[in-house]
Amino acid sequence: MDGNGRWAQARGLPRAEGHRAGGKTVRRVLGYCRDADIRYLTLYAFSVENWKRPKDEVAALMHLLVDYLAHEEPMLHEHRVRLRIMGRREDLPPEVDAALTRVERATAAYERQLILCLSYGGRTEIAHAARELARLAAKGELDPESIDEDAIARHLYLPDVPDPDLIIRTSGELRLSNFLLWQASYAELYVTPTLWPDFGEADFKAALDAFARRDRRYGGISATPSPQS
């Protein structure tokens, strides 16, 4: 969800106002996903690297998160959306973690899922899985020779969540920025110059239309040869 700061800067507003506008976009996108019958929506809300930002901006982001939960929880119940958190929860302020935990528990029975990546990094997640496997091996509960891709996947933060089919990057940046590095191996990428606060239904439909045209071969060959073949 990139571009909040640039959106605010272009309007002569504090960066926090860009993040607030970005929160409104989250509500809209949840609605788009519901209408398109998309079961999983994962949002990169705050990375492990984002802690390096100015303290006042980080504090504003944490405050906005708690405020967002308070205002949007009824919407999660209305649309039967389960909130889940992915990342280093121990890094979050106690009051933020408590608010997240409360909403997670209150929505746990719903099938459609909104996954917020908070204090998250793809490399950090893979390192976490490696440590968990190492602990099991040290206790004699795991043969190192048995470690394969499935074993690593089972020890990621949310192993029951399927790998993403589509990753949308707003603001025109051409990089993953340490997002779902393991899970994104065969995800289709879509980049739009639209800043996140301006991301609307037309942008969402354009991303889905682009995805529908992709030929997903997973390392194989196309089942339908092109006319040039």
Side-chain angles (χ1 to χ4, degrees), residues 60-137:
L61 280 167
M62 294 296 116
H63 175 77
L64 283 172
L65 178 58
V66 174
D67 187 60
Y68 178 85
L69 290 171
H71 285 88
E72 301 299 336
E73 184 182 354
M75 179 268 296
L76 296 178
H77 290 296
E78 178 185 354
H79 299 302
R80 301 184 64 80
V81 175
R82 178 184 182 186
L83 177 69
R84 302 185 73 183
I85 306 305
M86 189 175 186
R88 288 176 49 87
R89 298 188 67 134
E90 62 269 27
D91 296 341
L92 300 173
E95 64 276 14
V96 174
D97 186 51
L100 291 166
T101 299
R102 183 185 60 77
V103 178
E104 281 181 297
R105 290 173 177 169
T107 61
Y110 304 146
E111 292 188 3
R112 200 178 304 277
Q113 299 190 21
L114 168 62
I115 300 160
L116 294 183
C117 291
L118 294 168
S119 196
Y120 174 84
R123 289 182 173 181
T124 302
E125 181 180 21
I126 294 170
H128 161 83
R131 285 194 300 274
E132 292 300 308
L133 290 168
R135 290 190 184 102
L136 292 174

Side-chain angles (χ1 to χ4, degrees), residues 44-48 50-51 53 58 61-62 92 117-120:
Y44 202 3
F46 194 87
S47 74
V48 290
N50 286 156
W51 293 110
R53 292 188 177 188
V58 171
L61 280 167
M62 294 296 116
L92 300 173
C117 291
L118 294 168
S119 196
Y120 174 84

Side-chain angles (χ1 to χ4, degrees), residues 168-186:
I168 301 173
R169 176 75 192 241
T170 59
S171 85
E173 301 292 353
L174 299 175
R175 58 179 180 270
L176 284 175
S177 295
N178 203 15
F179 179 59
L180 299 180
L181 295 182
W182 180 275
Q183 299 91 331
S185 296
Y186 285 100

